Every structure is written in C-alpha cells, then in structure tokens.
Amino acid sequence: MATEPEPQGPARRTPPAQTSRSTAPSSVLRTAPGLPAGRIAPAAARGLPTRTGDSTPDWLEPAMAANGIGSFDWDIRRDVLEGDHRACAILGLDPKRFDRSSAAFLALLHPEDAPVLRRRVERAIAELGQCGAYYRTVFPGGGMHAVRFRGRVLADAFGRPSRMVGFVWDATVELHKRERAGELAALREERSRFIKEAARALSEAVTVRDVARVFTELPLPGLPPDGLLLASLEAGRLQILGATGYTPDSVRPYDRSLLDLTHPASEAIRNRAPVFIASRDEYRERYPEAWARISPDNPRSSWAFLPLVASGRAIGVCLVSFDDDRELDADERTLLSTLGGLVAQSLARARLHDAEHELAAGLQRVMLPRTVPSISGVTTAVRYLAAGSGLQIGGDWYDVVPLPGGHVGLVIGDVQGHDVHAAGIMGQLRIALRAYAAEGHPPAAVMARASRFLADLDTDHFATCTYAEVNVDYGVVYAVRAGHLDPVVRRADGSASPVPVAGGLPLGVDPDEEYRVTRFSLDPGETVVLCTDGLVEARGMDLDTGFARFCAAVCGDLPARSESPYDPLELLADRITSQAADFTEREDDIALLLLRWDGPAGGLAAQQLRRRIGQADLARISELRGELRDALRRWGVVELVDTAELLASELVTNAIRHTDRDAMFTARLYREASRDGGATGRARLRVEVEDESDLWPTRRTPGEQASSGRGLMLVEALADGWGVEPRGTGKRMWFELSAEN
C-alpha cells in the first residue's frame, strides 16, 4: 500500500498546572487498544446533541459539501467515533450496525493498511500532534475503496490527549489510478522481459524451422493471440513456415501461392509497415476483395500483419490474430512491431545458414560416393559426420573401389583444411586415386601417382591417406599409408588392435616419394577399420589417448545376426561414431570405413586368382608369388606350390622384360568331374599371362655361362602342358599342372 509520510506533530503544550506528559498518553492507550481513523457513527443518528464548540463552522460547510469532505470526532478516552453523514458515506458505514469503537473500525480496513494507520495515530496521540494517511476500506458488499484523512489530537485542561478531530475524503479514483499504474508498470516490465526472452530464443534459433518453432510458441504478454503464422516470401510466393491456432487445411491454400496484391499482407510487405485490423467489419471495408476469399468458418475477428524486413528487403510476414474485436493501443503495436523486427533478423540469419548448409551438404554429397558397391565375400559400412561448427564441409573422404579380379580397394583420406577449397581438392584427388586403382595399379603405384597428381595441382595443400587392396579370395590385405593413421583390425573374438603399416609422406609433399607396402591377412569374420583423425582428436585430448579410446570402441561384443535386424557391422559403425557425436564442439569432420571379410562361400576359397602386373614393377612379382602360394594352399593342392610359383614367375618376368605394357596374370583350378557328376579326385591348374606385345617368345639353348634363356626350358620341362595363343592385340602364354587329391 502507498502511504503518505508520517507528519510530525507540533511540540506538546504543557499548561502550568499539567502533570507529567509521559503519564497521560499511556493511560489513553490503555483505555483505547485500537486507534482508528474513520469508521464513525454520526451524532444525529444516535440522537446526540450537536456539538457547538467543535462543530463544522457554517461558512466551511458549503466548501466541504462541494468537495465531498466529511468530518469526524473521536473521543479517545471513551473510544467512541462520531461523524457527519458525508463521512459515513465515504467510509461505507451503516450507523445502525457499527458499534463506533476503534477496534471495529480497524477490522474494516485492508490488512496491510491497519498496522500503518495504528502507528501513525499512536504517535500523534503521544505527541499531541496531527497525522494523516491513505488507506483502503472494504465496503459491506466487498468493494474496495480508498480514503484519505487528516486529523489533530486535542488535549484537555490537564494537557492529556482527549479527542481527535479531522476530515475524510474519498480517494477511490486515486486507488484505481494507482492500481492501473501498477498494472501498467507490471505489464511494461513483463513486455520488456518478453522482448529479452524472445530475442534470446530467436538468437539461439539456427535453422528456419527453429525460428518458426520459437515464433509460434511465443507467449505474448497482455494480449494472448488466438493464432500465429509465419511465412517467408520467395519469388513473389508465400511459403508457410509455421502456424499455431490454424488447422493444416486452413493454411494449405496459401502455402506456395502467389502474394495477392489486394491482401493486407501484401500491403504490409509493400509499405514495410504493419497493418492492424480491429474487426471483421473493418477488414470487409478496407480489403473487400481479400475478405471475399476468407472462409465463413474463420473464427478470427482482428488481425495484425507484421512485415519481416531485413537489410531493407522484405523477406516474409508474421500474422497475429484474435477471436474478438481488438483495437490495439500504441504500446501493443510497438510490442508487435518490435517482435516483427526480431523475427525478421533471425529469419534472415537462419535462411543464410540453411542455404550455406544445403550448399555444403550438396557439395559433400557430390564429392563422396553416392553408394558403396556390394562385393561378394566382403561386407562394408561407411559413415561421414560433418564438423560441429563452421560450414560443415571439409576434405575428409572414403571410397570403396572394385578392382580387376574381384578384389576391392579401400581408401580413406583427409585433405588439409576445412573449407570449400579443401572439399574441391578432395573431390579431384578422390577421382584420380579411384581411376589409378581401377586401372589395376598396385597400391604403391596408386599412392605415388596420387601424390604426384596432387603436387601438380599446385594448391599448396597436402593430404593424408591410407589405401588398402583386399584380396577377396584369400583375405590378404596390401596397405599403403601416406601420413595417415594405421588401420585397426577387429578380430573374430571381439579384440582389436592397430596394424603397423609402413608410412610415407602425405600426398602432395614430395611428388617423387616412393611408398612401401605392408601385407597382412584376415581370417573370416575379421574387420578392417579405417578412419580420419577427426575421430581420435579432440580439444583437450592428445592423439594417443584418442586413438586408444577409438580402439576401445572397436572392440567388444556385438549382437548376433539372429538377435538384431541390423548387420553387426552397421551397429559397430554406429557405436564408433556415437562417441564422436558427443562432442558438440567438434572442429573436424569424420570419415569412417569398415570392411569385414566374410570368407569364401561355403568355406572354400574361390578357384581363381587374377592380378594385373605393372610395367617394370618387380616388387609386384614378389607379391604375386606370395598370393599364388596362399591360393594353392587354400585350394588344397599344396604339392603344386613350388612348381607353380617358379613357372608363374618365369612367365610374368618374361612378359615384363620383353614388352612395354602391363601384364595380366590369371590362375584357375579345375576339378575334373565323372560321368555321374562326382569329382574324380584330379585337379588341373591353368596359369595364363596376357600382354599386348606381338613379339612371340623364342625357345633358346643358352650356354653354361648364360644368365638368361632358360625360362621356356623350365616351363617345357616341368609343366604338363604349355603354349602361346594369339589375341586381338598381343598374346596369351599358359601352362598347366595336374595334381592328385
């Protein structure tokens, strides 16, 4: 409650024969436990004689009557209140029911005001002074009224407080003004708080969908709307982004529709100023053509169309509607206009973000493989996670390349940088590396050519990369690493460990760099895991710790295929990436590639080995001999290993030395069948080497000191059969060996 300052009474007067001032007030307080200021019974109503000495003077009565002022007289010692008829009307008293005591009067006051009034009256009595107050009373009907009073304490002949006389007047209008001012102050504070909360929520909205959600959930203070709608303007068409209070059927005709020039939304956008419509009649009068298209079932009766203007350009419109007629005041219109400005800025920022994100996502989709090829004998799974901040595009990539002979190449790489430039370089490098691999070049040559290609681009960028060629028939992996992370192999028992691979410089650093190949084998059910450094690096965590955590995520149990509808490899990929997805401030993107070697169908290895041997690639010949040995062991013809290895090496070396093109090596094992379809137990190995040279081999008779010329002699002596066959371009040399199972 608002109260006036407590007035200070005049100095107490003490007649010569007066007793001590400290005794008189205390005795009065004991006789009057409640000290009021206004609920009084008129003397006339009680039949009391009118006072003469203290009555209102005749000359003052007209002025008091004209101003609605009543007078009162309180006998402090007897605790009896008296007053004129105006005082009773102002206080809402019923003289017949009011007992004229101060306690009864205080009981009628507002609980917050009674203690204040008591203190002021007590002080006035103690000081023989005057006091005044503003207080609220509750009329018998429950109405709240306000009263102002001012009174003075009079002393008797001995200087003791005897009576209080004064005036009262109605202050209910002032009460309403104060209440209204308080309500307006609270509403202004609520609106200010709303603007702050709306600005905060809209600033946190990242996408257009977020802006639409925040807008349609805003609780407008003081004027709760019945409908909210947000629409953007694209090429003269409205696109509904979000709505509340409207059914989908009611807004569907306006979605993607041309903006009608006669519609109030069009006027708001055209003039860059809000349009407020207070009633349906006003809508019909101002916009008759637009009103004709409104459904009769539309419950709205007032509208506010707020243009969304950002950087001087209209980008959309907000609609705020009400079910009742509403003439918005200046403060409400200012609030809505401010809200429209906040939404416009947030929507413009969100549209730019969505456009950048769509550009980045589209570019990334083009750069990365659309699908991973399905290759018999292996199962693959891939994942790509964009960075948690920035343009969400980078130079990380993966690829799965089908190779000649049914083999498969795995590529994982990361171009330096995290921007569109890095993504463009990544796309070029991925295509080049894929082309080199698909041509059948060995891993070391693929990596060397890719490094030279990146250096020739002259972009001042480098790239880390791991390329692995997997022999699908036998589970043999040939890996080459250029400044990248080592691959991790998950064993069949669930354990996992990195495989050390001989490393070289990142691609593009030294165009003449030669890369070494590391060979390792997989058993059926084992998985090769390749990833980029975004999965193992994080702020506040070193590389070793991150790589150890990555290996821990790779190992562990997985549900069996019968326990889950998803392939365990997909579940493993999700588990690995989930730990990286927890880092919302991840600064680098992530590429992940997994390949599980399922083993040959039926548990038996395929009966064919096919490899391309690059020109002058002598290291490839050594690798081929190892693969042939593994193949023959798996095929169950171990007795042919030594002879087949020697003769194959001779044919391949002869093709490489005497031609200037690559050679294609093929080994097949045939099992002869009996008439009833069963196997006879005889196996026949046929080895072929094709080249594009028209120069046929010539059998020579070298001397004892000759260093060459014995290849065909060995083939003729050790093979069960051999020959040379012409092809369209070049020739095919072959030999056959037989074995008994």
Side-chain angles (χ1 to χ4, degrees):
M1 184 197 93
T3 58
E4 294 179 345
E6 299 185 8
Q8 302 296 329
R12 271 180 286 177
R13 298 161 295 175
T14 305
Q18 181 177 340
T19 59
S20 171
R21 286 181 294 177
S22 62
T23 58
S26 61
S27 62
V28 172
L29 292 175
R30 285 194 298 271
T31 59
L35 303 175
R39 297 281 178 136
I40 51 180
R46 304 192 307 273
L48 299 177
T50 305
R51 299 185 303 275
T52 56
D54 295 322
S55 298
T56 304
D58 293 339
W59 60 269
L60 186 58
E61 177 63 25
M64 295 177 60
N67 291 278
I69 299 175
S71 62
F72 71 90
D73 186 344
W74 176 37
D75 188 331
I76 297 176
R77 291 176 180 169
R78 293 189 300 122
D79 192 20
V80 176
L81 286 167
E82 297 178 352
D84 59 16
H85 67 280
R86 281 191 301 273
C88 292
I90 291 171
L91 299 173
L93 294 176
D94 183 357
K96 297 179 180 180
R97 298 182 180 179
F98 186 67
D99 64 3
R100 297 174 294 164
S101 67
S102 60
F105 170 74
L106 289 176
L108 299 177
L109 300 188
H110 192 282
E112 295 179 358
D113 299 348
V116 177
L117 182 62
R118 179 190 294 272
R119 287 197 306 270
R120 294 190 177 187
V121 172
E122 286 178 346
R123 189 172 69 177
I125 292 175
E127 298 178 353
L128 289 177
Q130 60 180 350
C131 64
Y134 166 89
Y135 57 86
R136 293 163 292 178
T137 63
V138 182
F139 277 26
M144 181 73 69
H145 288 253
V147 176
R148 282 190 179 276
F149 96 96
R150 186 164 295 279
R152 177 181 291 277
V153 177
L154 304 179
D156 59 8
F158 300 100
R160 296 175 299 181
S162 174
R163 297 161 51 203
M164 174 179 281
V165 296
F167 304 99
V168 295
W169 63 93
D170 189 277
T172 304
V173 174
E174 184 178 348
L175 171 65
H176 292 163
K177 288 183 178 179
R178 292 191 177 191
E179 291 178 349
R180 179 58 179 168
E183 292 175 357
L184 291 177
L187 182 58
R188 283 193 294 269
E189 182 180 356
E190 185 180 1
R191 287 174 176 173
S192 177
R193 185 167 54 251
F194 164 77
I195 289 297
K196 292 179 181 178
E197 290 297 323
R200 180 195 58 79
L202 289 171
S203 66
E204 295 176 354
V206 178
T207 65
V208 171
R209 179 176 296 181
D210 294 338
V211 174
R213 175 185 53 79
V214 171
F215 172 74
T216 54
E217 294 177 357
L218 287 176
L220 292 174
L223 61 162
D226 299 294
L228 289 171
L229 185 144
L230 178 64
S232 65
L233 184 62
E234 298 285 350
R237 294 181 179 270
L238 287 176
Q239 179 182 358
I240 306 300
L241 303 178
T244 183
Y246 293 91
T247 63
D249 293 338
S250 64
V251 300
R252 189 174 294 112
Y254 298 95
D255 193 21
R256 307 284 182 178
S257 65
L258 287 172
L259 185 60
D260 186 1
L261 297 179
T262 63
H263 198 274
S266 176
E267 179 180 337
I269 293 175
R270 185 170 56 253
N271 298 331
R272 309 288 198 272
V275 173
F276 300 99
I277 302 176
S279 65
R280 299 171 71 90
D281 292 338
E282 181 182 352
Y283 198 129
R284 186 184 300 107
E285 180 181 352
R286 293 175 59 183
Y287 307 99
E289 296 183 18
W291 175 259
R293 290 188 290 273
I294 292 183
S295 170
D297 299 332
N298 192 327
R300 305 294 182 251
S301 296
S302 56
W303 300 262
F305 296 89
L306 311 175
L308 303 180
V309 181
S311 302
R313 186 172 62 90
I315 62 173
V317 64
C318 293
L319 172 60
V320 181
S321 59
F322 307 90
D323 287 350
D324 57 340
D325 293 351
R326 184 167 304 196
E327 184 71 39
L328 300 177
D329 59 28
D331 289 341
E332 293 170 335
R333 295 189 177 196
T334 301
L335 175 68
L336 292 178
S337 299
T338 303
L339 176 61
L342 293 176
V343 174
Q345 297 301 320
S346 182
L347 181 61
R349 185 179 61 254
R351 289 173 63 176
L352 180 60
H353 171 274
D354 286 356
E356 291 179 347
H357 181 74
E358 181 61 26
L359 172 63
L363 182 59
Q364 198 74 55
R365 285 193 298 267
V366 171
M367 297 300 182
L368 294 175
R370 294 178 60 89
T371 58
V372 176
S374 177
I375 300 174
S376 178
V378 298
T379 303
T380 57
V382 295
R383 296 290 186 273
Y384 177 83
L385 296 180
S389 59
L391 193 55
Q392 297 186 342
I393 187 173
D396 290 25
W397 89 95
Y398 61 81
D399 207 351
V400 178
V401 186
L403 301 177
H407 297 175
V408 60
L410 307 179
V411 185
I412 196 83
D414 183 5
V415 175
Q416 171 200 11
H418 186 72
D419 50 23
V420 176
H421 192 198
I425 296 173
M426 176 269 287
Q428 298 179 72
L429 182 59
R430 185 184 78 84
I431 294 173
L433 196 148
R434 182 183 182 90
Y436 296 145
E439 288 178 354
H441 297 292
V446 170
M447 197 69 83
R449 294 190 180 196
S451 180
R452 189 175 301 109
F453 171 83
L454 181 56
D456 292 341
L457 290 179
D458 194 20
T459 61
D460 294 329
H461 281 63
F462 64 84
T464 63
C465 181
T466 294
Y467 173 67
E469 182 175 330
V470 182
N471 186 324
V472 179
D473 296 333
Y474 314 113
V476 180
V477 181
Y478 299 91
V480 182
R481 188 167 63 88
H484 204 75
L485 301 173
D486 285 323
V488 173
V489 174
R490 173 186 166 89
R491 304 299 177 185
D493 60 0
S495 62
S497 60
V499 178
V501 174
L505 293 175
L507 303 181
V509 174
D510 182 2
D512 297 325
E513 175 76 4
E514 295 183 358
Y515 296 91
R516 293 183 296 166
V517 177
T518 300
R519 180 179 181 272
F520 60 92
S521 299
L522 300 175
D523 289 332
E526 294 185 341
T527 302
V528 178
V529 182
L530 304 175
C531 73
T532 55
D533 55 4
L535 192 57
V536 298
E537 288 183 341
R539 185 180 303 174
M541 183 174 61
D542 59 81
L543 182 61
D544 293 338
T545 302
F547 197 79
R549 196 182 71 157
F550 166 65
C551 292
V554 173
C555 66
D557 295 334
L558 291 173
R561 296 191 181 185
S562 59
E563 300 174 359
S564 173
Y566 304 101
D567 190 286
L569 195 66
E570 296 290 338
L571 300 178
L572 177 60
D574 291 338
R575 186 171 73 187
I576 295 172
T577 54
S578 64
Q579 69 174 13
D582 295 339
F583 290 93
T584 57
E585 297 183 358
R586 189 178 63 252
E587 299 178 352
D588 197 4
D589 44 355
I590 291 173
L592 178 67
L593 172 59
L594 297 88
L595 179 140
R596 183 184 64 224
W597 185 54
D598 298 324
L604 295 176
Q607 309 293 291
Q608 174 175 300
L609 174 62
R610 186 175 175 84
R611 305 297 282 170
R612 178 179 292 275
I613 310 299
Q615 176 61 222
D617 189 359
L618 300 181
R620 191 64 160 176
I621 300 176
S622 175
E623 296 174 7
L624 179 63
R625 288 198 296 264
E627 291 186 11
L628 182 59
R629 286 194 301 268
D630 292 339
L632 296 179
R633 291 191 186 98
R634 293 178 183 272
W635 295 345
V637 287
V638 181
E639 64 273 22
L640 299 181
V641 169
D642 295 335
T643 304
E645 180 183 354
L646 174 61
L647 299 186
S649 179
E650 290 294 336
L651 292 188
V652 172
T653 303
N654 186 70
I656 295 298
R657 289 185 58 187
H658 299 290
T659 65
D660 56 357
R661 300 292 181 88
D662 295 348
M664 179 63 70
F665 173 87
T666 306
R668 297 186 183 90
L669 186 69
Y670 300 93
R671 299 189 182 274
E672 298 180 1
S674 60
R675 293 180 180 179
D676 58 2
T680 63
R682 290 184 60 83
R684 180 168 53 88
L685 175 66
R686 182 180 177 91
V687 175
E688 299 175 349
V689 177
E690 300 178 10
D691 61 64
E692 298 181 3
S693 173
D694 295 330
L695 181 62
W696 282 56
T698 303
R699 185 179 184 280
R700 294 182 293 168
T701 305
E704 295 182 0
Q705 303 299 321
S707 60
S708 63
R710 299 183 177 86
L712 291 182
M713 294 177 60
L714 291 174
V715 172
E716 184 178 12
L718 300 178
D720 294 334
W722 73 281
V724 181
E725 300 174 356
R727 299 177 62 243
T729 58
K731 61 183 179 299
R732 176 191 296 121
M733 293 188 63
W734 60 271
F735 69 84
E736 291 184 354
L737 297 175
S738 299
E740 293 285 347
N741 287 343

